[in-house]
Amino acid sequence: MAYVYGHYKKDTGELFYIGKGSGKRAWRPDKRNRHWQYVVNKHGYVVKILEDNLTDEEAYEIGRAHV
């Protein structure tokens, strides 16, 4: 099963990234792009699970709707 997660700036609460994952993906900082690293280094981040127990297809659709 998959989930949709958001990364929020720790200091302002602003959403800066939405992703689809399973397992511990939402909390793993590896394999992130340079912009993500810059934001996290400057502001820190908080993970929020937006939707859970989804098929991959449902997770992609929900992720696209949040963009």
Side-chain angles (χ1 to χ4, degrees):
M1 296 306 287
Y3 56 80
V4 175
Y5 62 94
H7 287 168
Y8 295 79
K9 294 178 183 177
K10 194 172 193 175
D11 57 355
T12 66
E14 178 185 359
L15 175 66
F16 71 93
Y17 182 82
I18 291 190
K20 172 213 156 285
S22 61
K24 301 288 184 188
R25 174 62 181 143
W27 293 271
R28 294 186 63 183
D30 58 324
K31 298 183 183 175
R32 304 291 182 170
N33 67 34
R34 188 172 278 174
H35 175 71
W36 187 94
Q37 295 289 342
Y38 172 80
V39 171
V40 169
N41 288 338
K42 186 173 181 181
H43 302 278
Y45 75 107
V46 174
V47 176
K48 293 183 185 177
I49 302 300
L50 304 175
E51 297 277 345
D52 200 0
N53 295 318
L54 304 169
T55 65
D56 283 339
E57 186 176 309
E58 289 170 330
Y60 281 122
E61 288 299 318
I62 291 167
R64 278 182 268 200
H66 280 87
V67 177

